Amino acid sequence: MKIKQFFYGGDNLGYLLHSGSRALAIDGGAVDDIMAYVRENGLRLSTVTNTHGHGDHTSGTRQLAKAAGAVYLDHRRLTEGQAIGLDGETVTVRLTPGHTMDSVIFATDTFLITGDTLFNGTVGNCFSGDLKAFYRSILLLLGYPGSIRIYAGHDYVAASLAFARHLTPDNRAIDAYAARYDKSHVVSTLDDERAVNPYLRFNDPEIIRLLESRGLPTDTEYQRWEGVMSLE
């Protein structure tokens, strides 16, 4: 399975996944660039979908589907574990409510398209208001192998690392993460995120000490998650 990342709208990131001659577009706001890539590589864009319903992710979706003659899959109708086939390879849908209640991610053996659920260095805002659903979605993501690559919905790396440094100034992993950051191709591994992303480190002793120093409860894992999500 191959992946091509596209930048659009300032800091949005969209994706084209392809295997053999077939391709799947996710959050395809970069319509012209995606269509050019499809033509240049002799691909057939067969399916177009989204990670969630926010306008900056759905802009261009129907235009792209029309231009390519592709099937539009409404992300709100996707089901947990649903398989999208691409010439013998499979992309698996996982439901990840929290950022929004309609958030989904797309999983392959080697990478995840995480939309605004998990960014490189941070997580999305909980616009749904359902912190418990978001918590369960984060636990689902944490269950993947550490080597799996994270492709997110925005490039927020600079601001995210600055906030991580603010919270955990002694964490040397942040400098190593920053050194690997490539603005032309934004990606990290889940292990990278476990090392620097405060919102995935709610069981880490360093974060627990930080929560306790701010008078936040830490007795249960969910309390620690709530505490991390309240940090400023």
Side-chain angles (χ1 to χ4, degrees), residues 36-216:
Y37 183 87
V38 166
R39 289 191 295 269
E40 290 165 5
N41 290 275
L43 301 173
R44 179 170 67 89
L45 178 54
S46 58
T47 311
V48 176
T49 191
N50 299 105
T51 59
H52 62 293
H54 282 165
D56 58 325
H57 293 264
T58 60
S59 64
T61 297
R62 292 186 182 276
Q63 180 186 350
L64 182 61
K66 183 177 180 181
V71 173
Y72 165 60
L73 287 184
D74 187 338
H75 68 280
R76 296 167 297 183
R77 297 180 180 275
L78 298 175
T79 58
E80 172 63 26
Q82 182 174 339
I84 302 172
L86 289 177
D87 277 356
E89 296 200 65
T90 300
V91 180
T92 303
V93 176
R94 306 301 305 269
L95 304 186
T96 54
H99 172 66
T100 59
M101 292 312 293
D102 65 348
S103 289
V104 300
I105 69 164
F106 299 88
T108 74
D109 290 340
T110 57
F111 59 81
L112 306 176
I113 308 296
T114 56
D116 288 7
T117 298
L118 174 62
F119 296 120
N120 307 100
T122 188
V123 297
N125 291 316
C126 188
F127 288 124
S128 69
D130 192 338
L131 269 178
K132 287 188 176 179
F134 208 163
Y135 166 68
R136 290 190 292 269
S137 296
I138 292 300
L139 291 183
L140 183 152
L141 289 170
L142 285 170
Y144 280 91
S147 61
I148 206 156
R149 290 173 288 157
I150 306 300
Y151 285 101
H154 294 268
D155 177 6
Y156 291 156
V157 172
S160 299
L161 294 187
F163 185 63
R165 283 195 178 97
H166 165 69
L167 294 179
T168 55
D170 296 328
N171 184 359
R172 293 184 179 181
I174 297 172
D175 290 334
Y177 188 113
R180 290 190 294 271
Y181 168 57
D182 178 358
K183 189 170 178 60
S184 68
H185 186 81
V186 182
V187 65
S188 59
T189 68
L190 187 57
D191 274 346
D192 293 333
E193 296 305 315
R194 288 174 175 149
V196 306
N197 190 327
Y199 301 97
L200 302 192
R201 299 181 64 213
F202 44 85
N203 289 325
D204 189 290
E206 183 179 32
I207 295 295
I208 294 172
R209 288 193 298 270
L210 173 64
L211 296 174
E212 289 173 343
S213 74
R214 299 196 180 188
L216 296 168

Side-chain angles (χ1 to χ4, degrees), residues 6 14-16 25-39 45 64:
F6 294 89
Y15 299 93
L16 193 76
I26 300 170
D27 294 350
V31 176
D32 292 342
D33 289 343
I34 291 172
M35 289 304 301
Y37 183 87
V38 166
R39 289 191 295 269
L45 178 54
L64 182 61

